[in-house]
Amino acid sequence: MEFNRAQHENEQDTLKHLITYFAGTVPHLLEVKLHKLIYIAQLYYYSNYGELLTRARFFSLSYGPHAPTIRFAIKEQLENNAIYLKESRTSTDPTYSNVCMIIRSREPKDKKLSTPCLNTVREVVEDWGNKNFEDILDYTTRTIPFLSTTYREHIDLTMIQPLRGLKRALSLPERVQIHKFMEAPEEAVGQDIAYSESCPVSINEVAEIYLALCGDLPEKIPSREHFGFNAQAVLEAFGSVDDRNEDRTEDYPTDIDKAAQLTDSLLDSICFKHYSGRVALKTGMLFLKRSGYSFNGDILEESWPQGNDYKRIRKWFSGVSVKAD
């Protein structure tokens, strides 16, 4: 009992120290921005070290990740005089300016943070400290842990294997490219930084394929009705690309083999609430596109694979795509 109480107090202390650090480091820090920065710190720390930075429970809400416990921690820090609120204006022109309260720190910003924690929050401040709230919101609402969590549910990072790429999110131009690919697979599509040397497609792009099929626009926050999918199953499907399949005849799998295997694995796992089959097929097509293949638009419109097993998918990919010279 004493151990649990001490552990809880230590976790609360970490959250308070994070608040103090950001309050002393980030200019014009509003509470709503603080929530997002602590979520980003949690995500970065988990990606870098495979552990949670704080036990604050973030939830997937309409306007991004939100942790109710942060407000209580802010209140305690105000009562302890570790931080204070300062009146600020959104514009130098008083006619068009709104008054807001920004959070400032009274304590040294890095006094009580461990070295791994300090390295993480410095990375967060470098990446996002001077960004406006709209950019931060756009980023957090396109991170995989947020998108893969059903609306109003707890964003449990531990349900996804820790990896460096987990903190990546597609930029708006990259999202636009995916939506263009969905409309016309025969057209060119930009390159992305893949999560695996064997797979030129990222989990972020798979998620964007899903959102495009759902009708979400690349420049908008995704609809809460579409939140939630099995991110770990998608990552495991990527891992299957190098596995040998008993249906294969070649000793070394070709790009067609790998695309079919990826599609087959995504189909078997049924990762998404809606359109799982179409997401899997489009992902296989994007895999081939990134591997230097092109598609015949007329054939795509006239024919879809007659079945969902590996052999039929592989045969269909072979028929609708051709390796570019």
Side-chain angles (χ1 to χ4, degrees):
M1 191 70 176
E2 287 297 326
F3 173 78
N4 291 337
R5 184 182 296 109
Q7 184 181 33
H8 174 74
E9 290 176 355
N10 184 58
E11 291 166 356
Q12 286 298 104
D13 285 343
T14 299
L15 182 57
K16 293 174 185 177
H17 298 331
L18 287 174
I19 293 170
T20 303
Y21 180 87
F22 286 126
T25 310
V26 178
H28 204 81
L29 182 63
L30 299 172
E31 181 180 335
V32 66
K33 184 175 181 178
L34 177 62
H35 275 264
K36 302 301 182 281
L37 290 177
I38 293 177
Y39 168 77
I40 295 171
Q42 180 89 309
L43 179 59
Y44 276 28
Y45 193 85
Y46 184 72
S47 300
N48 292 340
Y49 302 105
E51 298 177 354
L52 295 177
L53 176 58
T54 169
R55 294 290 175 178
R57 290 168 60 88
F58 283 88
F59 294 85
S60 185
L61 302 184
S62 298
Y63 289 95
H66 178 81
T69 188
I70 291 176
R71 170 159 289 187
F72 295 105
I74 290 173
K75 182 179 179 182
E76 288 187 19
Q77 289 296 75
L78 287 170
E79 292 173 350
N80 295 333
N81 288 319
I83 60 174
Y84 63 97
L85 300 180
K86 180 180 178 181
E87 188 176 286
S88 178
R89 289 187 175 273
T90 57
S91 170
T92 56
D93 186 344
T95 305
Y96 301 100
S97 178
N98 293 319
V99 176
C100 59
M101 303 304 292
I102 61 174
I103 305 171
R104 304 303 299 157
S105 174
R106 298 184 189 276
E107 296 183 351
K109 58 191 178 185
D110 57 0
K111 185 174 66 175
K112 298 178 181 178
L113 295 174
S114 66
T115 299
C117 181
L118 187 57
N119 291 338
T120 299
V121 291
R122 283 174 175 167
E123 184 183 2
V124 173
V125 171
E126 181 179 351
D127 289 349
W128 301 103
N130 290 318
K131 297 289 180 65
N132 61 45
F133 179 72
E134 288 72 20
D135 290 338
I136 294 173
L137 181 63
D138 181 74
Y139 166 73
T140 55
T141 55
R142 273 316 200 278
T143 57
I144 292 304
F146 174 78
L147 288 175
S148 64
T149 303
T150 305
Y151 178 62
R152 287 190 177 277
E153 292 297 321
H154 169 219
I155 302 172
D156 189 355
L157 293 175
T158 63
M159 296 299 292
I160 310 173
Q161 68 187 65
L163 69 164
R164 291 278 181 169
L166 194 60
K167 56 191 176 187
R168 174 164 162 71
L170 295 185
S171 66
L172 178 57
E174 289 171 328
R175 300 194 303 254
V176 169
Q177 283 293 328
I178 294 299
H179 286 250
K180 287 182 177 179
F181 171 77
M182 295 294 290
E183 295 173 2
E186 65 275 13
E187 300 296 330
V189 63
Q191 292 297 313
D192 182 35
I193 300 173
Y195 282 65
S196 166
E197 292 181 0
S198 63
C199 187
V201 180
S202 72
I203 185 174
N204 302 80
E205 292 173 319
V206 178
E208 198 63 36
I209 287 172
Y210 169 65
L211 294 174
L213 287 169
C214 290
D216 281 306
L217 299 176
E219 68 273 17
K220 301 290 186 181
I221 295 175
S223 171
R224 64 190 188 187
E225 285 81 13
H226 305 145
F227 293 167
F229 63 89
N230 192 334
Q232 184 57 39
V234 176
L235 292 173
E236 289 172 359
F238 285 152
S240 74
V241 170
D242 275 340
D243 294 342
R244 295 294 183 266
N245 187 294
E246 63 184 12
D247 292 326
R248 292 178 178 148
T249 57
E250 291 110 333
D251 292 332
Y252 299 97
T254 65
D255 292 328
I256 296 288
D257 293 328
K258 291 180 180 180
Q261 180 60 41
L262 176 58
T263 302
D264 186 45
S265 296
L266 286 172
L267 284 168
D268 285 345
S269 60
I270 314 178
C271 302
F272 297 88
K273 293 190 296 185
H274 314 290
Y275 307 112
S276 275
R278 294 176 67 186
V279 171
L281 194 64
K282 290 290 186 179
T283 299
M285 292 172 66
L286 182 59
F287 181 103
L288 289 176
K289 192 73 175 181
R290 287 277 167 69
S291 301
Y293 286 74
S294 60
F295 297 98
N296 185 319
D298 293 334
I299 293 179
L300 287 175
E301 292 179 0
E302 295 173 0
S303 172
W304 290 98
Q306 302 301 308
N308 291 332
D309 61 280
Y310 170 80
K311 283 186 175 180
R312 287 187 174 92
I313 293 169
R314 185 187 185 283
K315 181 178 180 181
W316 186 80
F317 280 152
S318 297
V320 300
S321 64
V322 59
K323 182 74 171 181
D325 293 334

